[in-house]
Amino acid sequence: MFKILTPVTKTLSFPSPSLTTTTLLQMRTPLLIPLQIYQRKIHSKDSSKPQRSFMEVSRNNKQVKLLNMVKTEKQRRKSEVIRVEGLQMVTAALQSSWKPNFILTTKQYTQEVLNLCEKYDPNEDIKLLSSKEDVVVMSMKTPRLQHIVACGSLPPFSSALSPPSNILANTRVLIILACQDPTNMGSIIRTAVAHGIHDFLLWKNACSPFNDASIRASAGAVFNANIIDQINMPSDIFLHASILGACSHEGEHLQAALNEAEKEWKDGSHLRSKDEEQQHSVMLVFGHETKGLPKELKGALKKVHIKMDSCVESLGVGAAAAILINQLTTSMRTAPYISNSINN
């Protein structure tokens, strides 16, 4: 299909950088221009910056081999890298300060990956790889997700507590995790971050929060967590701290412990000034699924359990953590000084 303009008096080479709709209409030049090319010329976007491209790779590519090698937790720890699978998890990762070294996907999802990188990787630091569907699926641990896999260095552990969140005003809450199940680990982190708690202390022998299953169970919340390992924890981390340890049957009922803690906040017995108030922290300890609370902390903590029907022996650590975190943060928001801080 052609667009025919006015009769000819001179010739013009096509395409011309200065060619516009206005100049074409003003010219007395016979010109036959393919309509599709003409439309593409006047409607094209700024081409000063070339679009990012994907490198086509095979199963023998070194990045693809790395993804397959670090499927096991042992190899992942040895290589000090993490894998993130699926569009939701990769998006959550890119929204944080962590950036992958490369992303592998299929042609079906290249546009989604380009959109993410345009927003979160303007400097084009991330290498983009594309391969056949069977190669990408082979590289994934959860192939039912969108065929997108990101891989990068293990995020460094922190050595300091983060500032108190707006939700909890000036009181710090720290979650101490000694659980071995990565699904429980991710679930607790997701619940805590949703309640404004971002500080986590990994007790020795706890599973990694960056295990594939942990990342998936956290729905990406692990990338918004401030994670401290026991080796690098601050020396004064337990100073001015109320420590509560979750047990199946021992200790006080949860609400009784929270009422006692709220009474201490109202009395201000351990809060002498605003500066001291900022140093105070509440610690929630969730132990090993079978061995229970860490023995090093048993002498310093107050055991609590959740009142429940006698026909149920115990709750899973993930469910118990959700109840404890919700009730604790609710109680903290109703404490007088906390409420005043939020209102101001």
Side-chain angles (χ1 to χ4, degrees):
M1 184 177 181
F2 292 86
K3 187 176 185 70
I4 303 176
L5 300 178
T6 51
V8 118
T9 58
K10 67 176 180 178
T11 59
L12 178 69
S13 61
F14 180 84
S16 171
S18 60
L19 188 62
T20 64
T21 308
T22 303
T23 56
L24 284 172
L25 294 175
Q26 291 175 347
M27 289 165 41
R28 297 181 182 180
T29 304
L31 193 60
L32 296 178
I33 305 174
L35 184 58
Q36 291 180 347
I37 298 177
Y38 171 78
Q39 290 176 334
R40 189 181 304 120
K41 180 71 179 176
I42 64 174
H43 294 297
S44 63
K45 296 181 180 179
D46 179 19
S47 58
S48 59
K49 184 178 180 181
Q51 188 179 28
R52 294 180 69 172
S53 59
F54 285 77
M55 178 187 294
E56 290 287 337
V57 297
S58 68
R59 67 181 71 245
N60 295 321
N61 175 266
K62 64 179 182 179
Q63 281 90 2
V64 175
K65 289 182 177 180
L66 175 64
L67 285 174
N68 287 300
M69 184 183 71
V70 298
K71 278 184 176 181
T72 64
E73 181 66 8
K74 181 179 179 181
Q75 286 295 334
R76 190 198 61 75
R77 286 179 179 267
K78 184 178 179 180
S79 303
E80 295 187 338
V81 298
I82 65 171
R83 303 154 33 93
V84 185
E85 299 181 356
L87 182 60
Q88 180 186 2
M89 299 300 103
V90 172
T91 301
L94 291 177
Q95 288 172 341
S96 71
S97 58
W98 180 79
K99 292 292 181 289
N101 296 328
F102 66 89
I103 298 176
L104 174 68
T105 188
T106 60
K107 289 183 179 179
Q108 181 182 355
Y109 296 104
T110 53
Q111 191 57 53
E112 284 85 347
V113 173
L114 283 173
N115 293 340
L116 286 176
C117 290
E118 182 180 353
K119 187 173 183 180
Y120 300 111
D121 183 39
N123 296 328
E124 301 188 6
D125 297 322
I126 303 172
K127 190 173 185 178
L128 303 182
L129 308 176
S130 176
S131 190
K132 295 179 180 179
E133 184 175 346
D134 62 321
V135 175
V136 180
V137 168
M138 180 185 67
S139 304
M140 299 181 68
K141 293 189 71 174
T142 314
R144 60 181 174 78
L145 299 174
Q146 297 93 342
H147 299 156
I148 304 172
V149 192
C151 184
S153 301
L154 180 71
F157 290 112
S158 177
S159 59
L161 296 174
S162 61
S165 71
N166 293 330
I167 295 178
L168 300 178
N170 292 317
T171 300
R172 297 183 188 278
V173 177
L174 175 73
I175 307 294
I176 300 178
L177 296 169
C179 48
Q180 287 287 299
D181 188 324
T183 303
N184 287 333
M185 175 74 72
S187 176
I188 295 172
I189 291 175
R190 181 179 184 177
T191 300
V193 170
H195 285 77
I197 301 170
H198 294 268
D199 289 325
F200 301 87
L201 174 61
L202 290 184
W203 209 249
K204 60 182 180 181
N205 299 325
C207 69
S208 170
F210 295 107
N211 176 288
D212 287 18
S214 297
I215 294 174
R216 193 163 56 251
S218 76
V222 66
F223 294 106
N224 293 305
N226 180 51
I227 300 176
I228 305 168
D229 65 346
Q230 191 179 357
I231 298 174
N232 298 319
M233 69 180 182
S235 58
D236 61 347
I237 195 169
F238 295 108
L239 188 64
H240 303 308
S242 301
I243 308 176
L244 304 177
C247 296
S248 297
H249 302 288
E250 298 180 63
E252 301 179 61
H253 290 312
L254 172 62
Q255 195 57 53
L258 295 180
N259 290 339
E260 185 177 336
E262 186 172 352
K263 184 176 183 301
E264 291 179 356
W265 290 324
K266 288 179 179 178
D267 293 342
S269 57
H270 55 287
L271 305 178
R272 302 304 177 191
S273 68
K274 188 173 181 179
D275 291 337
E276 286 186 8
E277 201 271 344
Q278 291 177 340
Q279 296 173 1
H280 176 253
S281 60
V282 176
M283 298 185 177
L284 306 178
V285 186
F286 300 101
H288 191 283
E289 286 82 354
T290 55
K291 297 179 181 178
L293 297 169
K295 60 181 180 181
E296 299 92 339
L297 294 176
K298 285 186 177 180
L301 57 77
K302 179 183 296 184
K303 293 181 180 180
V304 296
H305 73 275
I306 301 166
K307 187 175 181 180
M308 53 190 173
D309 196 287
S310 58
C311 66
V312 178
E313 182 182 357
S314 63
L315 293 174
V317 65
I323 295 172
L324 183 57
I325 289 169
N326 180 267
Q327 293 199 15
L328 176 65
T329 53
T330 300
S331 179
M332 289 172 63
R333 293 189 192 101
T334 60
Y337 185 84
I338 302 299
S339 299
N340 292 336
S341 298
I342 294 175
N343 293 333
N344 293 334

